[in-house]
Amino acid sequence: MRDAFLRFVRHKPALVGLVLLVMVVIAAAVASLLYPGDPFRIVGKPFQPPLTDFPLGTDMLGRDLAAAVFYGARTTLLIGFAATLIATVVGVTIGGLAGYFGGRADALLMRLTELFQTIPFFLFAILLVAVLGSSIGKIIFAIAVVSWPPMARLVRGEFMAMRNREFVQACVSMGMGHARIIVVHILPNTLSAIVVTGSLMIATAILIESGLSFLGLSDPNVMSWGYIIGSGRSVLRTAWWICAVPGVAILLTVMAINLVGDGLNDALNPRLRQL
Amino acid sequence: MSGDSPLLRIEQLHVALPPWADRPFAVEDVSIDLYRNEILCVVGESGSGKSVMSRAVMGLFASRHVRPTGGRILLDGENLLEATHERLRAIRGNRVAMIFQEPMTALNPVHRIGRQIEEVLEIHRVGTPAERRARAVAMLEAVNLPDPAKILAAYPHQLSGGQRQRAMIAMALALEPDVLIADEPTTALDVTTQAQILALIRDIQRKKGMGVIFVTHDFGVVAEIADRIAVMQHGKLVEQGDAREVLSQPQAAYTRSLLAAVPSLTPGPRRDFAGNPVVLSVKGVTKTYRTGGGFFGTSARRVDALKGVAFDLRRGETLGIVGESGSGKSTVARCITRLIDSDSGRIEIDGKDIAHLGTRALRPLRRRMQMVFQDPYGSLNPRRTVGQLVAEGPIVHGTPAAEATRRAVELLELVGLDARSASRYPHEFSGGQRQRIGLARALALEPEILVADEPVSALDVSVQEQVLKLIADIRTRLGLTVLFITHDLRVASQVCDSIAVMHKGEIVEYGAVADVYANPRHDYTRTLLAAVPGRAWSEAQSPASAN
C-alpha cells in the first residue's frame, strides 16, 4: 500500500487532479461561510460581467454567480459521490454474485444487467426523473440506476478469474463458507479495479447530473452548475459568462476526477506499466 | 572437435541489470566457446542468468534496462554485440537460430504453420514461392512430422505440444544455421514427448554438424544430450567441461549439490501398510467434461477425464498418481477433495461416501482432507499475511483466534520458517518458502489425508529436494496418509510407497513403487519409464539399482 501511495504521488497529472479536486471540496465546504444566505437571492443589477461589483458577475435575475458556483459545487459533489457509492454497491454485489456462483445465477443476473444496458443511459435517467419527480434524492437514485451495469460486468469478470485461482480453491478445501471466501478473500483482490472504475464513474455521474439540470430536470430548490448553464443558455450571446463560469467548473472537476482515476489506476495496477 | 577454432566464442560477457534489481549483473564475466558439431548444455537454477546469456547471442534482451556492458560475442570473428541492427537481422535465423520453451506462444496463433516457415525463408530472400514451399515440406519431414501437407495448412492450436515444438525446430532449421540456441525446449512437454524431441535435436545436430547451446535446468536432460556442460549460478560460470567428467566427477561444490539434489529413480526402503485400515477408498469414479454444443447447433465435445478410477489408501501410506498432462491425475485430486464433482462412483473416507454430500454436510469433513497446490504463487492470497493464511482454517472451524494464531506460528516453525514470517505477506517469500507456507496451511486443520497436486513441479531442483524431504519427514511424524500427484517419476520414487500410473483417464498399472519400477507390466508404464531423461546415468550413479 505504501508503494501504491508513492507511485500515486510520483504521477504528476494525478497530483494536479488531486489538488483541483481538493479545491472543489474546499469550495463546497466554505460556500455558506463566504456567502451566507440563499444563493437564489437577488443581490444586484442583472447581467453584470465578471470582475465588476461581483467577482464572477451576476445572471439575468441579478443573482451572484460566485455564490451559485460555490453552492453548486456542493450539489455536484454530493450527487457525484452518492450516486457512485450506490451504483458501486449494487454493481459489486450483482457482479460479484454472478461471477462467483456462475451458471444459472450468472445467466439470470447478467440478463438483468443487459436489460439495463440496452436503454441509452441518459434517456433512461431523463425518463426516471420525469416519472419519479426531481428531488435531489431521486436524481441520485436515477443516476445510480443507470451507472451500475458497467461496474457489475467488470466485477463479474474479476470474480470469475479469481474463482479458479488456487488460493480460492484452497479456501474451499478448508471448508470455508461462500460469504467468507467472497468478502475476505476475493473482494480485497478486486478492490483496485473497483476503486479505479468507481473514481471514473464519479465524473460520469457529474456529467449526467449537469445534463439533467441543463434540461431543467433538476431539483429547482437546489443550486447546481447544470442549472445555471440551463438558465443562461438563452442569453449565451449577450452574457456568455453565465454559461462559461459553471461550464469551466464542470470541466475542471471532471478533468480532475479523471486524472485522479488514471493516477489510481497506475498506482494500484503497477503491472500495466512496468519498465 | 577441440582442435578447431570455436564456432561461437563468448568472452567475458557482462550483462547489467537495472539498479533496482537484486544484483548488479544478470551475467557476469562468462566466457564460453561453442564448437562445431557439439551440444553444449548450459545448466542452472532459475535466476542463474543462463537464459539471458544464451539470448544475448541473438541480441535479445528482456527490456531496455538489461544491456550488455562488457565482453564480446564472436561468431566467426565478428562481434555480435557491436553489429548493426541490419547485420543482426541477417544473422538471426540464417546463421544463428533459436527455439523457445513454449511453442504455443512462440508461434503466431493467427498464421498457418506453413506460412510461418516460409516467412523465415522469405525474409532472407531464399528461392521462389514454390521452392520455399518445397523446402518447408522437406523441413517438416526432417523433424519427423507425419503428413507435412496437413501440418503446413494447420494453425498452431490444432497441433499437439510435441508437434508444435517440432514445427518450431523445422522453422529454426529452415536456413541451416550453424548455431542453434535451444532455451528449455522440452520443459513444457510431457516426458515421452520430451524424449522424442531430445532424440530429434541430437539427430539433426549430428546430421548438420551444428553447434547447439542447450539451456536447461534438468540434469536428467543434460545426461541425455550433452557433449559439454557449463554450470551457471548467480550469473557466473561455476564449472565447464566434458559432459561425462562433469557428471561423474563434478569439481565445483555447487555442481555437486545440484547433482546430489536430482532425485534418484531407485525407490527408498519399502514400508508395509497391509495391516493398517483403509482410510480413503475410491471406487469407480468417472468424470466427463462437455464443452460447446447446443445453442448454435455446433457439436458438443466430450472428454472422458476419468473412466472408472479405483484405489485404496491405507493409513500412513503414500500413493503416487503419475501420468502425463491430460491423463486425469489432477482431476482425480480435485474430485477427491470435492473441488469438482465426479459424475459417478464412490469416494469413501473411513467407509463414509462423500462423493455426493451437499455443501453443508461436507464442510466438517473437509478438514480431514487437505490439499497442497502446485503453484506457489497462485495458491496464497496476496492480500493476507502468512499468519492469517495459516490460522484461518482452524478459525473457520471454530478454534478461538488467539489459539489458532499461536498454533500457526508453531506450524510455520514445523515447516522450517521463522516465527516472524507470520506477519509478512506471501510476496516476500521465495517459491520454496511459499510451498512450505502452503503445507503449513494444510496441516493447520490437522488432516488425516494430505492431497498434494504437483507440489514440487514449479520449484528448482535443490529447493525441490528440501520440500520433498520436509513432506516425507512431516508425513512420518504426524502419521499422514498422502495422495501425491506428479508427472515426475523420479520424484514419485522418492516419496511414494505405492504408485498408480494413469493414462487417458484410467489407472493402467497400480502397485508398490519398487515392483512397478522394476517390472512394469503395462506397455505405457514401460514407455514412461524409458522416457525418463538421464535414466542410464541415474542407474549408473546408484549402486542399489540391482533389480
Side-chain angles (χ1 to χ4, degrees), chain A residues 1 165-178 180 184-186 188-192 268 275, chain B residues 20 63-65 334 339 363 366 369-370 373-375 378-384 392-393 396-397 441 445:
Chain A
M1 232 37 225
R165 292 276 294 274
E166 284 190 340
F167 73 81
V168 175
Q169 301 209 324
C171 294
V172 175
S173 64
M174 273 193 272
M176 273 182 216
H178 296 306
R180 189 179 174 96
V184 179
H185 288 274
I186 302 185
N189 281 293
T190 56
L191 216 54
S192 57
L268 296 173
L275 301 173
Chain B
W20 56 84
S63 86
R64 63 195 163 85
H65 299 292
R334 283 175 159 65
L339 288 172
R363 214 164 274 163
R366 284 211 186 263
M369 188 155 55
Q370 282 301 299
F373 293 86
Q374 172 174 6
D375 179 6
S379 58
L380 301 174
N381 187 345
R383 306 261 166 161
R384 311 272 291 166
E392 190 166 23
V396 167
H397 285 277
R441 174 177 63 184
L445 284 166

Side-chain angles (χ1 to χ4, degrees), chain B residues 93-388:
Chain B
N94 201 351
R95 302 281 325 274
V96 184
M98 182 147 186
I99 47 180
F100 297 88
Q101 175 172 348
E102 184 39 82
M104 189 66 218
T105 48
L107 288 166
N108 188 333
V110 299
H111 291 309
R112 295 176 196 275
I113 298 291
R115 156 116 206 253
Q116 299 192 48
I117 298 178
E118 287 160 35
E119 194 182 12
V120 181
L121 301 168
E122 201 182 320
I123 296 165
H124 293 280
R125 300 195 184 80
V126 177
T128 63
E131 284 168 12
R132 285 185 215 134
R133 164 96 352 176
R135 184 77 164 272
V137 172
M139 288 323 301
L140 290 179
E141 274 168 358
V143 295
N144 304 332
L145 274 169
D147 200 355
K150 204 172 153 195
I151 304 271
L152 281 181
Y155 288 97
H157 72 266
Q158 293 168 322
L159 305 180
S160 71
Q163 287 175 322
R164 278 197 288 267
Q165 198 55 288
R166 282 169 197 270
M168 268 302 295
I169 294 172
M171 214 162 124
L173 298 178
L175 284 161
E176 307 200 336
D178 299 315
V179 177
L180 179 69
I181 295 167
D183 189 357
E184 303 257 10
T186 58
T187 307
L189 303 176
D190 276 327
V191 57
T192 51
T193 322
Q194 164 169 292
Q196 293 164 10
I197 296 287
L198 289 178
L200 175 72
I201 291 176
R202 172 102 269 183
D203 182 45
I204 290 179
Q205 178 269 328
R206 287 275 182 272
K207 270 190 206 151
K208 312 262 179 197
M210 283 185 302
V212 177
I213 295 182
F214 194 105
V215 178
T216 182
H217 67 281
D218 185 340
F219 262 104
V221 170
V222 173
E224 218 43 57
I225 200 167
D227 294 315
R228 278 197 309 130
I229 297 175
V231 183
M232 287 185 72
Q233 183 193 21
H234 304 320
K236 292 185 193 126
L237 197 63
V238 293
E239 177 160 9
Q240 71 170 318
D242 181 70
R244 240 166 301 155
E245 279 167 27
V246 174
L247 287 174
S248 56
Q249 291 137 12
Q251 298 303 310
Y254 178 67
T255 317
R256 277 200 293 275
S257 70
L258 274 185
L259 283 168
V262 176
S264 114
L265 264 171
T266 317
R270 196 185 284 252
R271 306 191 298 165
D272 192 19
F273 297 98
N276 291 8
V278 172
V279 260
L280 175 70
S281 174
V282 175
K283 293 173 181 162
V285 168
T286 64
K287 173 77 189 171
T288 304
Y289 289 110
R290 290 179 180 82
T291 49
F295 213 71
F296 294 106
T298 49
S299 61
R301 248 164 59 88
R302 249 179 75 106
V303 179
D304 291 316
L306 299 180
K307 296 181 253 186
V309 168
F311 55 82
D312 288 335
L313 204 50
R314 292 177 185 279
R315 185 173 304 283
E317 188 182 3
T318 298
L319 170 67
I321 297 190
V322 298
E324 298 185 292
S325 55
S327 63
K329 58 187 191 304
S330 278
T331 309
V332 171
R334 283 175 159 65
C335 280
I336 291 172
T337 49
R338 285 291 308 272
L339 288 172
I340 53 177
D341 290 332
S342 49
D343 294 337
S344 64
R346 293 170 68 82
I347 298 162
E348 291 171 3
I349 295 184
D350 288 342
K352 184 174 162 50
D353 184 18
I354 62 153
H356 306 287
L357 284 182
T359 322
R360 263 171 219 291
L362 190 63
R363 214 164 274 163
L365 285 170
R366 284 211 186 263
R367 66 180 305 169
R368 305 183 56 183
M369 188 155 55
Q370 282 301 299
M371 192 152 175
V372 178
F373 293 86
Q374 172 174 6
D375 179 6
Y377 294 89
S379 58
L380 301 174
N381 187 345
R383 306 261 166 161
R384 311 272 291 166
T385 65
V386 168
Q388 285 175 322

Side-chain angles (χ1 to χ4, degrees), chain A residues 146-161:
Chain A
V146 301
S147 329
W148 67 267
M151 181 64 91
R153 296 202 75 96
L154 172 92
V155 172
R156 169 178 175 263
E158 292 276 323
F159 267 64
M160 282 171 87

Side-chain angles (χ1 to χ4, degrees), chain A residues 10-206:
Chain A
R10 266 190 242 122
H11 194 279
K12 293 255 160 52
L15 269 190
V16 173
L18 190 65
V19 168
L20 277 172
L21 196 61
V22 167
M23 278 161 58
V24 177
V25 172
I26 291 173
V30 301
S32 50
L33 294 176
L34 281 179
Y35 300 97
D38 190 356
F40 286 95
R41 193 164 42 102
I42 292 164
V43 293
K45 274 195 301 178
F47 296 118
Q48 289 194 52
L51 304 174
T52 49
D53 289 354
F54 298 95
L56 296 176
T58 58
D59 69 358
M60 59 281 186
L61 291 175
R63 296 178 290 205
D64 186 352
L65 268 179
V69 167
F70 272 71
Y71 277 92
R74 279 188 176 181
T75 321
T76 302
L77 289 182
L78 172 69
I79 291 177
F81 279 95
T84 301
L85 190 67
I86 297 171
T88 303
V89 170
V90 173
V92 169
T93 309
I94 290 185
L97 291 176
Y100 182 82
F101 287 105
R104 209 167 285 167
D106 178 39
L108 199 73
L109 291 170
M110 279 302 113
R111 292 306 84 76
L112 177 77
T113 312
E114 281 158 15
L115 191 71
F116 279 82
Q117 286 195 308
T118 51
I119 312 168
F121 68 93
F122 192 64
L123 290 181
F124 192 22
I126 292 176
L127 183 76
L128 282 171
V129 175
V131 172
L132 296 172
S134 53
S135 78
I136 195 149
K138 284 165 185 162
I139 288 173
I140 290 173
F141 174 76
I143 295 174
V145 165
V146 301
S147 329
W148 67 267
M151 181 64 91
R153 296 202 75 96
L154 172 92
V155 172
R156 169 178 175 263
E158 292 276 323
F159 267 64
M160 282 171 87
M162 288 287 161
R163 184 77 177 86
N164 293 319
R165 292 276 294 274
E166 284 190 340
F167 73 81
V168 175
Q169 301 209 324
C171 294
V172 175
S173 64
M174 273 193 272
M176 273 182 216
H178 296 306
R180 189 179 174 96
I181 294 177
I182 291 174
V183 177
V184 179
H185 288 274
I186 302 185
L187 201 57
N189 281 293
T190 56
L191 216 54
S192 57
I194 293 171
V195 167
V196 169
T197 315
S199 68
L200 298 176
M201 237 158 86
I202 299 174
T204 321
I206 290 176

